[in-house]
Amino acid sequence: GWHVETLGDDLVWIKPDQEGRLRAMNPEAGIFGVVPGTSMQSNPNAMQTISRNTIFTNVGITKQGDAWWEGISETVPPNLTNWLGESHIHNSETRVAHPNARFCAPLSQCPSLASEWNALDGVPLDAIIVGG
């Protein structure tokens, strides 16, 4: 079987080592992505990654000060402030979060991160998975 690990969210530098084996390293220290539709059901690794030390942009804010967006839960909490800084009208067609709302978090918080992700000689590659 295969064991899949994360090395980055969008780019890595790849080059062969002295034996010709491909190795990859991520020149970035962060991970970012679009949050609408992201939940524990759709992407638990992303949700664990953004559970702390995270910057959110264009999301709604709950009364408790937490980030909220469409798709994170089945119910819309009361007393939300939308991404425009306005009080959200419950059951309205107005979105709480912008469709392109984002997160940015330290890569080291990703639970599927390769243990040697920060090695100077890179991570040996057996396969490359591209998604989008």
Side-chain angles (χ1 to χ4, degrees), residues 45-123:
N45 280 335
M47 292 299 292
Q48 290 174 45
T49 300
I50 64 177
S51 66
R52 64 191 190 288
N53 305 319
T54 301
I55 297 169
F56 294 97
T57 62
N58 299 328
V59 296
I61 302 295
T62 66
K63 186 177 179 180
Q64 295 76 24
D66 295 324
W68 193 91
W69 55 85
E70 285 77 8
I72 191 173
S73 62
E74 291 185 22
T75 58
V76 179
N79 304 317
L80 283 170
T81 301
N82 70 20
W83 70 280
L84 295 169
E86 303 165 343
S87 293
H88 178 69
I89 300 169
H90 198 69
N91 292 327
S92 73
E93 292 186 22
T94 305
R95 293 182 61 93
V96 175
H98 187 279
N100 201 28
R102 302 279 178 146
F103 69 83
C104 182
L107 183 60
S108 60
Q109 293 180 183
C110 180
S112 61
L113 186 63
S115 60
E116 68 275 34
W117 73 276
N118 210 17
L120 294 177
D121 58 346
V123 176

Side-chain angles (χ1 to χ4, degrees), residues 7 12-25 116 121-128:
L7 189 52
V12 294
W13 292 342
I14 301 172
K15 76 179 237 182
D17 63 16
Q18 293 178 348
E19 287 80 39
R21 180 155 192 203
L22 289 179
R23 293 186 166 266
M25 70 169 291
E116 68 275 34
D121 58 346
V123 176
L125 295 180
D126 293 316
I128 301 171

